[in-house]
Amino acid sequence: AQTVTQSQPEMSVQEAETVTLSCTYDTSESDYYLFWYKQPPSRQMILVIRQEAYKQQNATENRFSVNFQKAAKSFSLKISDSQLGDAAMYFCAYKGGSQGNLIFGKGTKLSVKP
Amino acid sequence: DAGVIQSPRHEVTEMGQEVTLRCKPISGHDYLFWYRQTMMRGLELLIYFNNNVPIDDSGMPEDRFSAKMPNASFSTLKIQPSEPRDSAVYFCASSLQVSKQFFGPGTRLTVL
């Protein structure tokens, strides 16, 4: 069975600085997708970024980028120029190519200090 | 686009009562998912549909839980009878084929 592990329950970053959130996963599949979702206090789950496993190039969305290491089964999220609005829970998620649902990690609570 | 719509946003009920949660997916999406979020277990899939047909219901806790999707624009998750351990936030999500999933705002259920 696939698993997703986020080893950092909480992280803190100074406004305008850069922070990296870690995620590792376990799978025997070769075709899959990885995601980072943001959940602010409003509870809304917001898709931040997506990576297809077959793509070697790391995905980037404005201030958000990933470091995808397929051999190491690692998928970290880098947030550059952190803003107060980035404060939230961040969930790493896995989706196998043959399945529809997401498998989530336990989440990392990110605090941004002014 | 209004996004995924869930109702109610909050529900407080007493143990033993029937609870029905509702979801309207994004128009045109062919996958619909029900997830549950608790502090202890995190986010976990309950069931998902493809073209209104249940594909995987292995996450449904027990027979007290049932889900239906009578048409492409509506789904319900019913708990009967409800128990205090069912207290959680229930999310509905939808996607087009197997691409990105878009989540609704969630329903916070409290069973007293």
Side-chain angles (χ1 to χ4, degrees):
Chain A
Q2 296 85 9
T3 58
V4 177
T5 302
Q6 294 179 249
S7 58
Q8 307 153 316
E10 295 187 26
M11 291 282 285
S12 181
V13 64
Q14 203 72 34
E15 193 176 7
E17 297 294 310
T18 296
V19 64
T20 299
L21 308 184
S22 301
C23 173
T24 59
Y25 59 95
D26 190 23
T27 184
S28 58
E29 296 180 302
S30 58
D31 178 26
Y32 53 88
Y33 301 81
L34 296 163
F35 305 82
W36 279 97
Y37 278 86
K38 171 185 177 182
Q39 187 178 39
S42 67
R43 291 201 318 261
Q44 182 74 45
M45 292 289 287
I46 302 165
L47 178 64
V48 175
I49 200 165
R50 177 180 74 161
Q51 175 80 42
E52 292 89 342
Y54 64 86
K55 289 187 177 179
Q56 292 187 336
Q57 186 173 8
N58 290 324
T60 299
E61 289 286 344
N62 300 313
R63 297 183 295 107
F64 298 86
S65 61
V66 299
N67 184 4
F68 174 47
Q69 301 289 327
K70 190 171 184 178
K73 297 180 181 175
S74 171
F75 182 61
S76 60
L77 175 69
K78 185 171 83 171
I79 306 174
S80 304
D81 186 25
S82 296
Q83 300 175 359
L84 295 178
D86 295 334
M89 283 290 290
Y90 286 82
F91 292 93
C92 179
Y94 168 98
K95 193 192 83 61
S98 60
Q99 68 194 54
N101 62 295
L102 295 169
I103 298 170
F104 287 91
K106 294 296 186 184
T108 296
K109 183 177 181 180
L110 177 66
S111 301
V112 180
K113 298 178 180 178
Chain B
D1 196 327
V4 176
I5 299 172
Q6 290 187 248
S7 64
R9 293 294 304 277
H10 304 271
E11 177 80 25
V12 180
T13 190
E14 294 188 345
M15 183 174 62
Q17 296 298 306
E18 177 180 295
V19 175
T20 299
L21 310 182
R22 297 173 176 80
C23 175
K24 176 178 170 56
I26 293 173
S27 178
H29 282 190
D30 54 353
Y31 280 83
L32 184 139
F33 305 82
W34 282 102
Y35 291 91
R36 180 172 66 175
Q37 185 178 32
T38 62
M39 288 294 292
M40 292 297 295
R41 300 174 66 89
L43 273 157
E44 53 184 350
L45 176 76
L46 297 176
I47 185 171
Y48 78 91
F49 297 83
N50 177 216
N51 292 321
N52 313 338
V53 177
I55 302 301
D56 183 353
D57 66 353
S58 59
M60 296 287 264
E62 48 199 271
D63 292 344
R64 298 184 297 107
F65 285 69
S66 63
K68 294 181 180 179
M69 192 167 186
N71 57 62
S73 59
F74 184 65
S75 177
T76 60
L77 177 67
K78 185 176 294 186
I79 309 173
Q80 166 63 21
S82 58
E83 298 182 2
R85 62 192 168 121
D86 301 331
S87 297
V89 179
Y90 291 81
F91 286 100
C92 176
S94 71
S95 71
L96 179 61
Q97 298 178 356
V98 289
S99 62
K100 298 178 288 185
Q101 291 183 24
F102 295 87
F103 283 72
T107 295
R108 180 177 290 280
L109 173 65
T110 302
V111 183
L112 304 174

